[in-house]
């Protein structure tokens, strides 16, 4: 059995670097996919995620082992302003607006406190929300795997085998090892395209930010209207991720260091990204999955991952090498990570001994699962809202009198 490494613990640097790299592999695909889809720079997205994560760790006092990567919630808005309107300044103004909303909510929550969060998100809400965070991501992993199911299943099998049967340090880096083994097998099968790696050797070191074309964020009314409402979607997703983290790490980030600090860290990170020309950032379920698999919760590993991301943003061949990993390899690993998050949600329900003989609990969980899985866009956010509202509106059932129970029997 893997020994749990707690949030405040530090392993040796020789162990920490591979663990940090494992987190980088987990977030890399999604973080660079957003700029590819929206017309932004992948290198700047990496730089933004690295710097943003460091800011987040500082403001949460290194008590929340979360990595911040490019948010998918703003893809449509970014695409409209960057690709369709060729107005990067307006897009970054929209991103800056998101950061400002986060900071304002930090101020409100600092004044009123955040202990109320647990009252409106009890285990019967938290468990299903955590489960659908993982389950709602599995179609993405399945689509990635569909390019070559043989490679995906092989990578998944290697990762799972190492998680169970590996010894020593190898047991806590099954994801990294699974990706490397899957990559090697895919390369021998002729599935790896090294063209990008070869081309990158012509320009090994390059600044991700082009200061000749840099534009400051511009506050635009249309951008404000398109970006601002989405802030509340990602805030709810952040809340879900903090619940997952708390369950996995046996801590309570909502109470300590406080959800207000989580919002401040995320808000300032997004604000910095807007000045760099990168997409808004958010906490990543992929990296939470890594914590669940490895049971190594040390925030020091997240620090190392952030610095690796910053280095990668300047070194083109390293970016190209990671980009050359076949999607099927990452799909196989992602199936494992997202499935693990889903099971964590079910574990929350079991450990809290949620009584599903009560209609209120049954209705709340049913609606959360139905909305979270059934709604394709921002399903987790809508499901969380539905769960919170139902928990507040529905009344607790009174236990039936013993004689009534006998009559029913």
């Amino acid at each position: 059995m893997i020994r749990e490494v707690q949030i405040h613990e530090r392993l040796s640097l020789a162990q920490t670097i591979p663990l940090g790299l494992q987190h980088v592999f987990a977030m890399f695909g999604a973080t660079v996919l957003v700029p590819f889809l929206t017309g932004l720079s992948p290198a700047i997205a990496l730089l933004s995620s690295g710097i943003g994560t460091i800011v987040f760790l500082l403001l949460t006092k290194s008590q929340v082992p979360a990595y911040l990567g490019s948010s998918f919630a703003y893809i449509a808005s970014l695409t409209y302003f960057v690709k369709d309107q060729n107005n990067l300044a307006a897009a970054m103004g929209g991103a800056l607006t998101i950061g400002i909303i986060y900071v304002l909510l930090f101020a409100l929550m600092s004044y009123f406190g955040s202990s109320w969060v647990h009252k409106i998100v009890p285990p019967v809400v938290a468990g299903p929300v955590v489960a659908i965070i993982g389950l709602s991501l599995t179609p993405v992993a399945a689509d990635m795997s569909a390019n070559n199911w043989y490679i995906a299943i092989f990578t998944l099998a290697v990762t799972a085998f190492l998680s169970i049967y590996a010894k020593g340090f190898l047991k806590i880096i099954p994801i990294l090892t699974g990706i490397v083994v899957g990559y090697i097998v895919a390369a021998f099968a002729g599935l790896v395209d090294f063209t990008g790696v070869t081309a990158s050797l012509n320009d090994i070191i390059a600044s991700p930010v082009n200061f000749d074309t840099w534009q400051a964020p511009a506050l635009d009314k249309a951008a404000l209207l398109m970006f601002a409402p989405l802030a509340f979607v990602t805030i709810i997703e952040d809340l879900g991720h903090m619940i997952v983290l708390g369950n996995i790490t046996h801590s309570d980030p909502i109470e300590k260091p406080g959800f207000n600090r989580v919002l401040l860290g995320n808000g300032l990170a997004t604000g910095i990204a807007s000045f760099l020309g990168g997409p808004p950032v958010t906490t990543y379920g992929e990296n939470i999955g890594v914590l669940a698999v490895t049971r190594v919760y040390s925030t020091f590993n997240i620090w190392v991952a952030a610095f690796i991301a910053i280095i990668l943003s300047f070194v083109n061949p390293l970016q190209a090498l990671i980009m050359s990993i076949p999607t099927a390899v990452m799909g196989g690993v992602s199936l494992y990570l997202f499935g693990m998050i889903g099971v964590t949600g079910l574990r929350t329900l079991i450990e809290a001994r949620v009584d599903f003989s009560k209609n209120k609990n049954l209705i709340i969980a049913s609606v959360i699962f139905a909305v979270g899985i059934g709604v394709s866009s921002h399903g987790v956010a809508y499901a969380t809202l539905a769960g919170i509202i139902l928990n507040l509106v529905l009344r607790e059932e009174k236990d039936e009198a013993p004689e009534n129970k006998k009559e029913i029997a």
Side-chain angles (χ1 to χ4, degrees):
M1 190 172 181
I2 305 173
R3 179 184 78 86
E4 290 188 350
V5 177
Q6 301 305 318
I7 291 173
H8 63 276
E9 288 187 66
R10 288 190 181 188
L11 298 175
S12 68
L13 200 58
Q15 293 176 312
T16 300
I17 291 175
L19 287 165
L21 191 59
Q22 189 168 235
H23 278 287
V24 171
F25 275 111
M27 69 82 185
F28 191 90
T31 293
V32 300
L33 178 60
V34 172
F36 270 125
L37 294 175
T38 59
L40 297 173
S41 164
I44 290 179
L46 278 175
L47 180 65
S48 300
S49 74
I51 294 176
T53 299
I54 290 173
V55 170
F56 179 85
L57 290 171
L58 286 171
L59 292 172
T60 55
K61 304 178 180 179
S62 281
Q63 294 176 358
V64 183
Y67 190 93
L68 272 59
S70 305
S71 174
F72 278 68
Y74 307 98
I75 286 178
S77 301
L78 288 170
T79 302
Y80 175 78
F81 284 100
V82 178
K83 276 191 172 181
D84 300 342
Q85 300 295 316
N86 194 27
N87 192 345
L88 178 63
M92 293 303 100
L96 180 60
T97 302
I98 299 300
I100 292 171
I101 291 173
Y102 267 76
V103 173
L104 289 175
L105 287 174
F106 155 77
L108 288 173
M109 198 168 286
S110 296
Y111 181 78
F112 292 105
S114 56
S115 59
W116 53 269
V117 174
H118 286 301
K119 294 180 181 178
I120 67 171
V121 189
V124 69
V125 175
V129 167
V130 171
I132 61 170
I133 285 174
L135 296 177
S136 64
L137 289 170
T138 52
V140 176
D143 287 342
M144 294 167 67
S145 302
N147 291 322
N148 192 308
W149 274 107
Y150 295 108
I151 293 296
I153 293 172
F154 172 78
T155 305
L156 172 60
V158 169
T159 305
F161 181 86
L162 291 171
S163 297
I164 298 172
Y165 297 109
K167 302 293 183 182
F169 183 63
L170 197 63
K171 195 175 182 69
I172 61 175
I173 54 168
I175 299 155
L176 176 60
T177 309
I179 291 172
V180 171
V181 174
Y183 184 89
I184 292 171
V185 171
F188 277 110
L191 301 175
V192 179
D193 184 2
F194 293 101
T195 306
V197 179
T198 304
S200 68
L201 296 175
N202 297 324
D203 191 15
I204 295 176
I205 304 295
S207 171
V209 180
N210 187 339
F211 293 100
D212 294 330
T213 59
W214 179 84
Q215 299 179 49
L219 296 182
D220 179 273
K221 289 183 180 178
L224 177 65
L225 291 173
M226 287 188 70
F227 278 84
L230 297 175
F232 298 96
V233 174
T234 51
I235 286 169
I236 293 172
E237 289 177 345
D238 274 339
L239 175 59
H241 286 162
M242 291 306 105
I243 294 170
V244 181
L245 268 175
N247 292 339
I248 290 173
T249 62
H250 315 296
S251 64
D252 188 0
I254 293 172
E255 187 67 29
K256 182 182 179 182
F259 192 55
N260 59 328
R261 283 186 167 271
V262 170
L263 293 179
L264 179 62
N266 205 330
L268 291 182
T270 295
I272 291 170
S274 71
F275 280 96
L276 293 172
V281 294
T282 187
T283 51
Y284 256 30
E286 290 89 334
N287 297 87
I288 295 172
V290 172
L291 299 178
V293 171
T294 63
R295 301 176 71 183
V296 178
Y297 315 133
S298 173
T299 50
F300 188 52
N301 299 331
I302 308 296
W303 278 94
V304 171
F307 280 110
I308 291 175
I310 293 171
I311 293 169
L312 281 174
S313 70
F314 286 88
V315 184
N316 290 330
L318 293 178
Q319 293 178 42
L321 185 64
I322 296 178
M323 286 295 293
S324 70
I325 299 174
T327 54
V329 172
M330 295 307 300
V333 168
S334 296
L335 283 170
Y336 186 49
L337 294 177
F338 299 151
M340 185 66 71
I341 295 173
V343 171
T344 300
L346 300 179
R347 177 182 168 185
T348 300
L349 293 172
I350 293 169
E351 291 182 347
R353 297 183 179 180
V354 174
D355 186 359
F356 282 111
S357 67
K358 294 183 177 179
N359 283 335
K360 176 181 178 178
N361 293 339
L362 193 61
I363 291 170
I364 291 172
S366 299
V367 171
I368 291 174
F369 276 111
V371 174
I373 297 174
V375 178
S376 58
S377 180
H378 309 310
V380 173
Y382 294 136
T384 305
L385 273 177
I388 289 172
I389 292 170
L390 287 173
N391 178 61
L392 294 174
V393 172
L394 297 178
R395 290 185 296 178
E396 289 284 353
E397 299 171 73
K398 293 181 179 180
D399 291 332
E400 293 184 66
E403 59 271 16
N404 291 338
K405 289 183 179 180
K406 289 178 181 178
E407 289 177 8
I408 293 172

